Amino acid sequence: MVKPSTEKSKTQVCRLRHYALLLACFLWTSFCLALWAVNGGIHIKQFQPPRPKPVPQNNSYSITSAFDMGIGDEEWERLQKAIDWSIPDQEITRLDQSTSPVHSTFSIVGLKESYKVGEKISVTITARDHNKNLKRYGGDFFKAKLFNTQLKASVYGEVVDHRNGTYSVPLLLPWEGQAQVFVRLEHSSEVVQILKKYRDSSFPRSHYNGYFEGSGPDKTRISEVVECNIKWGADGGWRKGDCCCEYKDIRTGTVWLCERPKKLSCDKLVHHSHGVLENPLNSFEKQLFAMKLTDVAISGDKKILNGLSNTVANGAVEKCRTGMTTPVPAGFYLKDVWKSFVCNTRQFSPAQMANCLKNKIVYLMGDSTTRQWFEYLERTVPGITRLDLHTHHELGPLMAVELKNNIIIHWRLHGVPLQSGKMPITDLPYINNYIDTIAGGRHAVIVFTYCAHLVFHPITFYVHEVAKIRQSVVSLLSRAPETTVIIKSGNTQGLKNIFQSDWNVLQLDTVMREMFKDIDGVIFLDVWQMTSCHYLRENIHPEPVIIANEVDMLLSYVCPA
Ligand SMILES: *[C@@H]1O[C@H](CO)[C@@H](O)[C@H](O)[C@H]1NC(C)=O
């Protein structure tokens, strides 16, 4: 081991200060002993023991304290560990130093003629840069799966980062028959570094519009459109000074900020919509994000593996209930049917769906992915009808009823920030506030997702919002313990740019899962794995066959067998 000179440590500290405090604290406390070799192993740095925290800088969202997020210091430390990702410790300046999907490869360790169903296949990924040099640090975002096209079978594998340019993936072979390994480089670690940098900076990647409407001085109806965004971070983030109308939610403490309209007063905010997305990437960063380097299959052992068994592959047999953890893999597809390892998931016929939902009020909340569930139920449950609530058919709120079995299904979007078409801001309650209006009970099924629209904003803001949702869920389960509460995770996005990256989704999913880990009575429904390993192209709105499997999971929890 080469000890760094004092000079080098100083440089390193300075460099790190450019990053979020978040990264700095984590690096110093968690990886004192980690050996990071960079630049082809020429400079080898050894990490120093924990140091005092650097003085916070006032230009970043990420200096937000655990207190500002409404959680304790210990929980924030736990969350940072959970989302820890080994990005390069310095910014690279040359494209050829980044991970190449062409030169990176995978191989099957101890390849055999045949495997038993239920056996693990061990895959090693070796990352190389564009000059075919081995990468010496980790952080690349790979996705891996086993699949069989004829059987419409696939299973997700979790990639373990050894932080030295190699990665392992244990892949379970759960079906009888052939299987092949598939690995793709979703983003190089250099791109993950950029994603993280912009996520944690106060740069608003996403803009929003606020529509003010009301009577002008001469009693005529006027309207004004201004820009809005979240107020977050010690410096207030987005706009400075007395620029704005502030909308502070009493219960969440979340502040929505709109530029002050010229003619109308602050209480005249009526509609909300998304504004433009702003790409912060410089030209070098854009090159790193180039399509040919993103979401590319890497080459490796294409050998057809053989799974042998006397029995038919099956999922779990235990009844679906609360308090179950999601293993990896959480299940697998066989003939396009998701067989869960979490619990016994059934396929529901339309009549069984109606029977399951008899006397239920289902509250679906969140974004268009829970609307897909609403639309699926609407299409499939016999006799169900959508009521005309005089709202936009995609922005909602929506409601469907089936009178024979007394089924009521609600769907609505979560509060701002949200990328939506123009709609009344009164129809965008924060999830926690909406939950606070529901009495709950054994007839109530509460489902929410909170992910896709939050990838535009700092993770500290996300933690703050989830903490508030958690409070409301805890209260709900306290006043009505028989309420079914289901959190739907985010699904893979299909888009691989600075705005929608699965790396961000995975991070938010991890935070959500961690923050609800100790809450009894809550079900975490993992659709990340279900959308990550399916043979259809990833889509921010998963394809109908996947939605059908997701809803079968949902119903398996509502009506366990
Ligand atoms: C990387 O780390 C893993 C796990 O510690 C080890 O097995 C492997 O040999 C290392 N590879 C290299 C190239 O250093």
Side-chain angles (χ1 to χ4, degrees):
M1 289 192 200
V2 181
K3 289 221 162 167
S5 67
T6 331
E7 196 51 50
K8 201 177 276 173
S9 316
K10 269 186 198 155
T11 332
Q12 186 187 334
V13 171
C14 290
R15 238 182 239 133
L16 283 170
R17 277 189 180 161
H18 288 292
Y19 291 103
L21 168 67
L22 192 143
L23 169 65
C25 295
F26 142 68
L27 282 177
W28 291 333
T29 51
S30 313
F31 292 106
C32 323
L33 298 173
L35 191 76
W36 279 31
V38 292
N39 295 344
I42 297 160
H43 307 292
I44 296 177
K45 290 176 185 174
Q46 188 183 6
F47 271 79
Q48 301 293 305
R51 297 153 192 256
K53 291 180 181 180
V55 181
Q57 302 185 353
N58 57 3
N59 60 355
S60 169
Y61 275 132
S62 50
I63 59 158
T64 315
S65 69
F67 179 78
D68 294 327
M69 287 178 254
I71 60 169
D73 286 329
E74 270 172 35
E75 179 167 23
W76 180 225
E77 267 167 42
R78 190 160 57 84
L79 289 175
Q80 283 174 283
K81 274 205 190 95
I83 59 169
D84 150 39
W85 196 277
S86 87
I87 54 170
D89 68 342
Q90 48 186 280
E91 283 191 62
I92 65 153
T93 49
R94 281 167 39 202
L95 194 63
D96 61 359
Q97 294 172 329
S98 69
T99 307
S100 157
V102 177
H103 300 309
S104 298
T105 52
F106 69 86
S107 59
I108 298 167
V109 183
L111 186 64
K112 297 196 293 188
E113 279 304 309
S114 61
Y115 292 81
K116 287 202 192 77
V117 168
E119 211 175 323
K120 285 246 165 94
I121 293 151
S122 178
V123 171
T124 298
I125 305 171
T126 306
R128 290 188 189 82
D129 67 17
H130 293 263
N131 301 320
K132 300 188 188 176
N133 294 321
L134 292 172
K135 293 294 293 272
R136 299 304 183 101
Y137 52 85
D140 295 310
F141 182 26
F142 289 104
K143 282 188 189 159
K145 64 178 179 182
L146 272 184
F147 74 100
N148 177 321
T149 307
Q150 284 75 40
L151 290 177
K152 294 190 169 168
S154 56
V155 66
Y156 171 85
E158 193 166 54
V159 178
V160 180
D161 185 350
H162 295 305
R163 300 176 182 247
N164 61 8
T166 68
Y167 302 76
S168 315
V169 199
L171 281 162
L172 184 82
L173 176 51
W175 60 82
E176 187 177 356
Q178 298 182 331
Q180 247 183 307
V181 178
F182 182 79
V183 179
R184 60 196 148 140
L185 177 66
E186 188 87 1
H187 290 306
S188 64
S189 55
E190 291 74 19
V191 163
V192 174
Q193 185 185 39
I194 296 166
L195 286 168
K196 190 171 185 310
K197 179 176 82 176
Y198 287 111
R199 181 191 69 189
D200 294 337
S201 80
S202 57
F203 188 89
R205 283 179 294 156
S206 177
H207 296 258
Y208 303 93
N209 296 319
Y211 301 78
F212 288 73
E213 283 153 36
S215 295
D218 57 353
K219 302 284 178 232
T220 54
R221 190 100 182 142
I222 54 170
S223 62
E224 287 178 72
V225 189
V226 299
E227 216 184 305
C228 307
N229 217 314
I230 55 168
K231 182 178 182 180
W232 187 248
D235 67 338
W238 173 64
R239 284 279 188 277
K240 310 283 179 287
D242 182 33
C243 59
C244 298
C245 300
E246 284 196 8
Y247 304 90
K248 180 168 182 169
D249 184 81
I250 300 164
R251 283 190 262 203
T252 52
T254 308
V255 182
W256 188 244
L257 213 56
C258 290
E259 290 171 332
R260 197 182 292 282
K262 291 195 174 60
K263 299 194 190 96
L264 292 167
S265 54
C266 286
D267 59 344
K268 298 290 189 284
L269 175 62
V270 179
H271 288 99
H272 165 82
S273 82
H274 68 84
V276 293
L277 294 174
E278 194 173 333
N279 193 333
L281 300 181
N282 63 37
S283 59
F284 176 67
E285 290 170 338
K286 277 184 184 143
Q287 284 176 20
L288 282 170
F289 261 95
M291 282 322 280
K292 65 179 195 300
L293 304 180
T294 297
D295 190 21
V296 181
I298 67 168
S299 54
D301 278 327
K302 288 284 158 60
K303 187 156 165 55
I304 311 267
L305 309 172
N306 246 315
L308 301 179
S309 172
N310 300 323
T311 55
V312 179
N314 257 318
V317 291
E318 212 183 327
K319 261 192 184 185
C320 293
R321 54 173 172 81
T322 62
M324 307 188 105
T325 51
T326 311
V328 178
F332 64 101
Y333 284 106
L334 183 62
K335 306 206 175 97
D336 255 345
V337 176
W338 181 255
K339 299 191 179 284
S340 171
F341 288 131
V342 180
C343 57
N344 181 23
T345 32
R346 294 186 285 150
Q347 273 184 288
F348 287 77
S349 69
Q352 286 169 330
M353 287 170 80
N355 200 39
C356 171
L357 293 172
K358 190 179 169 85
N359 285 321
K360 297 281 187 221
I361 309 179
V362 183
Y363 300 88
L364 299 170
M365 309 169 198
D367 57 34
S368 51
T369 61
T370 41
R371 188 188 66 230
Q372 289 185 280
W373 286 16
F374 179 93
E375 289 162 347
Y376 178 74
L377 291 169
E378 193 185 23
R379 274 200 310 272
T380 319
V381 174
I384 200 164
T385 324
R386 185 190 289 208
L387 299 184
D388 183 0
L389 299 184
H390 311 287
T391 56
H392 186 276
H393 70 287
E394 283 191 330
L395 302 174
L398 305 176
M399 182 179 179
V401 294
E402 192 268 321
L403 296 176
K404 200 175 112 229
N405 291 295
N406 190 31
I407 301 168
I408 304 172
I409 302 175
H410 294 282
W411 171 79
R412 59 165 68 237
L413 287 164
H414 63 66
V416 290
L418 177 93
Q419 291 266 324
S420 74
K422 185 180 171 185
M423 65 180 291
I425 198 156
T426 41
D427 281 338
L428 295 172
Y430 293 108
I431 288 178
N432 62 298
N433 287 350
Y434 186 45
I435 291 175
D436 286 347
T437 66
I438 299 169
R442 65 193 169 89
H443 300 299
V445 178
I446 300 205
V447 180
F448 66 87
T449 191
Y450 189 65
C451 182
H453 292 263
L454 280 301
V455 299
F456 301 105
H457 298 286
I459 204 149
T460 48
F461 175 76
Y462 186 72
V463 171
H464 175 266
E465 299 297 289
V466 174
K468 299 297 170 187
I469 297 173
R470 182 171 63 182
Q471 267 175 17
S472 293
V473 167
V474 168
S475 304
L476 170 69
L477 288 170
S478 165
R479 69 177 170 267
E482 288 179 287
T483 315
T484 304
V485 179
I486 297 176
I487 304 171
K488 185 183 87 67
S489 78
N491 49 257
T492 55
Q493 303 277 292
L495 301 166
K496 323 285 172 182
N497 53 38
I498 182 74
F499 304 114
Q500 299 288 130
S501 160
D502 282 344
W503 182 80
N504 282 325
V505 173
L506 192 54
Q507 291 260 302
L508 297 188
D509 271 356
T510 306
V511 167
M512 180 67 86
R513 193 191 303 265
E514 274 295 312
M515 290 185 72
F516 274 90
K517 191 168 72 175
D518 300 325
I519 309 297
D520 290 336
V522 175
I523 293 152
F524 190 89
L525 204 162
D526 186 301
V527 298
W528 167 267
Q529 294 190 37
M530 294 174 81
T531 50
S532 184
C533 72
H534 196 268
Y535 60 87
L536 286 170
R537 223 187 124 70
E538 288 177 343
N539 191 333
I540 192 163
H541 297 126
E543 303 294 335
V545 59
I546 298 172
I547 296 295
N549 278 296
E550 291 178 0
V551 172
D552 277 334
M553 273 301 291
L554 164 74
L555 296 176
S556 297
Y557 278 108
V558 177
C559 308

